[in-house]
Amino acid sequence: MRGGRRPGRRFEWLWGAYATSALGTWLAFGAFPLIAVHVLHAGPAEVAALSSVGALAGALVAVPLGPWVEFRRKRPVLIATDLVRCAALLTIPAAYALGVLTFLQLLLVSAVVAAADITFRAASGAYLKTLLPPEDLLLANARFESTTWTTTIIGPPLGGTLTGLLGPVATVSADAVSYLLSALGIRAAGGHEPQPERRESARMRAGDLLDGWRYILADAVLRRLFFNTALFNGLVMATQPLLAVLMLGRLGFAPWQYGLAFAAPSIGGLLGSQLARPLVTRFGQHQVLRAAGTLRALWPVGLAFLEPGTGGLLLVIGVELGLICCCGVFNPVYAAHRLERTATDRVTRTLSAWAVTTKASTALLTAAWGVLGALLGPRTAIGLAGALLLATPLLLPRRAAALPTEPSDPEPEPARRAGGDRRDRHGTVVVELKNGGGGAT
C-alpha cells in the first residue's frame, strides 16, 4: 500500500466485506433497546440487562472457542461466525412477524452474537496477518479505522430513517444481510490457507482456556496495554446510559440533539486515523501511543459540567470530538503494536482473551455505574468515571521495548505443544472485521 502499491485482491475483498459489515452494525445501532422498549414494553432494568447480561453470556461462551480455533483454518471460522450471526439476527424479524417475539429471545440472540463477535475478531487477526508485508501494518489498520468512523457517521441516521419507514426490526434485518454479504466477501477472497499444526493431544485441557491470559500477563508491554484498554473502554461505555438519562431527561435535550451530539464528532475518528501513520513516522510508535493514550483520557471529565441549552450541546460535541480524534490515532497504532508483540501461534488465543475481558469489564462497569447513577445521580457518576479515566495513562507502557523473537528450532516444549506457523511475527496485521456491539473505542 505504501507508495501507491496495491495490497492485493484478497485484502481488497476482505476490506469490502468489512465495510459492508460495519455499515450493517451502525444501521442497527440501538436496535435491540428500541425493540425492547417500544415492542416488548421493557423497563430500565430489562434494557440494562440486555446490554450487560447478553455481553457477559457471550464472553463466557467464547472462552473455550479461542483455544479451539487456534489449531483450525481461520477462513472457514470467519465465514461460519458471519453466518451464525446472520441466522441468529434473522430470528428476530421472523418472530416479530409471527407475533411471538419475547425478551428472552432478544437476550439469547444478544449472547450468540457477542460470542460470535469475539471468535471472529480472534480468528481474523491470525488469518489476516500474512496478507500484507510488515511495512503496511499500520496503514492497513488506519484504513479499517477510517472505514469504521465513516460508517459510524452515516449508519445511525440511515438506520433511523429505515426504522421510521419500515418499522422497528428493519435495521436488524439489514444487519443480518450485512453479515451474509461479509461471509460472501471472505469466501470470494480465496487463497490457500495451510492447516495449523495440531498439538500432540487433540483433546483440549481445562488449562488451555487460560493460555491467552497467561501470554498477555507474561509480556510487560501487552500486560499494561491490556489493563489500560479494558479499563478505559469500560469506563467510557459505562457512562453512555447515564449521559442519555441526563441529556434526554433532566436537561431536556431533544432526541435529534442527542443524536447530533454523538454523530457529528465521529468526523474526528476519520481525522485521527489519517494522522496515525504520519505521526508514527515522525515521532515513533511508542511516543504516539503514549501521547494519544494520555490525551484521550483528558476529555470525558468535561461531561460532568454539562448544562442545558446550546452551550451544553456544544460542550458534548467538543468533548466527543476530542475524545474520538485521539481514539482514531490510538486505535490503529495500538492494534498494530499488539500484533507485533504476539507470537504467530498465540494470536487467536491472545485476541480471544483480550476481547472476552473487554466485553466482560464493559458489562460489569456499566452495571456498576448504573447503581452509582441511581445512588449519586447521573452527573456525579459521570464525573467519577471521568476522574478515574485521568489515571488510565499510568497503565500505558512507560518506555519502548524490543519486540520478542519467535522461538527457533529446536523448540521449547511449550512451543511444540502450541504448534502453529513459524513465520516472522513482524509481518502481521490485525483487522477486526466486525466491531461487535457498535463500540467505537
Side-chain angles (χ1 to χ4, degrees), residues 1 7 9-18 73-75 78 120-134 136-137 140-141 144 185-186 189-190 193 339 344 347-348 351 423 425 427-434:
M1 280 181 283
R9 172 183 174 275
R10 294 169 67 192
F11 183 84
E12 296 289 354
W13 271 109
L14 291 167
W15 186 30
Y18 168 74
R73 289 189 175 94
K74 307 306 184 293
R75 185 162 162 262
L78 299 177
F120 188 99
R121 294 187 203 182
S124 68
Y127 175 62
L128 295 172
K129 65 186 227 172
T130 59
L131 291 185
L132 299 175
D136 289 339
L137 173 61
N141 281 278
F144 281 80
I186 294 169
E193 181 187 2
L339 259 292
T344 304
V347 173
T348 305
L351 296 187
R423 287 178 292 269
R425 82 182 58 202
T428 62
V429 61
V430 61
V431 183
E432 295 181 354
L433 292 190
K434 186 76 176 213

Side-chain angles (χ1 to χ4, degrees), residues 224 228 290 294 389-398:
R224 296 182 73 88
N228 173 269
R290 281 196 60 85
T294 299
L389 282 166
L390 294 174
T392 57
L394 297 175
L395 295 173
L396 290 169
R398 297 177 181 176

Side-chain angles (χ1 to χ4, degrees), residues 234-328:
L235 287 172
V236 168
M237 297 306 296
T239 61
Q240 297 307 302
L242 300 179
L243 196 57
V245 171
L246 184 62
M247 292 184 68
L248 297 173
R250 300 183 182 183
L251 299 183
F253 286 96
W256 71 266
Q257 291 176 310
Y258 178 77
L260 177 66
F262 293 97
S266 295
I267 193 70
L270 283 174
L271 176 62
S273 61
Q274 294 300 313
L275 290 174
R277 186 176 175 86
L279 288 174
V280 168
T281 300
R282 181 170 181 178
F283 298 106
Q285 186 183 68
H286 176 72
Q287 294 300 324
V288 174
L289 195 68
R290 281 196 60 85
T294 299
L295 290 174
R296 67 176 185 163
L298 303 180
W299 296 93
V301 71
L303 296 174
F305 304 98
L306 180 61
E307 297 294 339
T310 303
L313 180 61
L314 293 177
L315 173 66
V316 176
I317 291 175
V319 167
E320 293 294 324
L321 180 64
L323 170 64
I324 291 173
C325 184
C326 293
C327 289

Side-chain angles (χ1 to χ4, degrees), residues 119-378:
T119 305
F120 188 99
R121 294 187 203 182
S124 68
Y127 175 62
L128 295 172
K129 65 186 227 172
T130 59
L131 291 185
L132 299 175
E135 61 269 21
D136 289 339
L137 173 61
L138 179 56
L139 187 57
N141 281 278
R143 179 182 287 193
F144 281 80
E145 186 76 8
S146 296
T147 303
T148 296
W149 290 111
T150 300
T151 55
T152 302
I153 294 170
I154 66 177
L158 289 177
T161 302
L162 190 62
T163 298
L165 293 175
L166 301 178
V169 299
T171 57
V172 176
S173 301
D175 195 19
V177 172
S178 80
Y179 283 117
L180 176 61
L181 294 176
S182 175
L184 293 174
I186 294 169
R187 186 177 187 277
H192 172 70
E193 181 187 2
Q195 175 69 44
E197 292 182 29
R198 299 180 66 85
R199 293 170 293 184
E200 296 175 4
S201 171
R203 296 183 61 183
M204 187 172 65
R205 299 169 299 177
D208 294 339
L209 301 180
L210 303 178
D211 278 350
W213 284 279
R214 279 196 289 260
Y215 188 83
I216 292 168
L217 297 178
D219 185 292
V221 174
L222 289 179
R223 182 170 64 244
R224 296 182 73 88
L225 282 174
F226 176 70
F227 287 118
N228 173 269
T229 54
L231 184 59
F232 180 87
N233 291 350
L235 287 172
V236 168
M237 297 306 296
T239 61
Q240 297 307 302
L242 300 179
L243 196 57
V245 171
L246 184 62
M247 292 184 68
L248 297 173
R250 300 183 182 183
L251 299 183
F253 286 96
W256 71 266
Q257 291 176 310
Y258 178 77
L260 177 66
F262 293 97
S266 295
I267 193 70
L270 283 174
L271 176 62
S273 61
Q274 294 300 313
L275 290 174
R277 186 176 175 86
L279 288 174
V280 168
T281 300
R282 181 170 181 178
F283 298 106
Q285 186 183 68
H286 176 72
Q287 294 300 324
V288 174
L289 195 68
R290 281 196 60 85
T294 299
L295 290 174
R296 67 176 185 163
L298 303 180
W299 296 93
V301 71
L303 296 174
F305 304 98
L306 180 61
E307 297 294 339
T310 303
L313 180 61
L314 293 177
L315 173 66
V316 176
I317 291 175
V319 167
E320 293 294 324
L321 180 64
L323 170 64
I324 291 173
C325 184
C326 293
C327 289
V329 174
F330 180 88
N331 289 346
V333 180
Y334 138 76
H337 192 52
R338 180 175 61 178
L339 259 292
E340 287 176 344
R341 296 198 66 85
T342 304
T344 304
D345 60 354
R346 298 299 182 97
V347 173
T348 305
R349 284 170 285 180
T350 300
L351 296 187
S352 178
W354 209 296
V356 166
T357 303
T358 300
K359 277 192 176 290
S361 61
T362 297
L364 291 172
L365 286 171
T366 299
W369 251 255
V371 175
L372 287 175
L375 295 175
L376 306 176

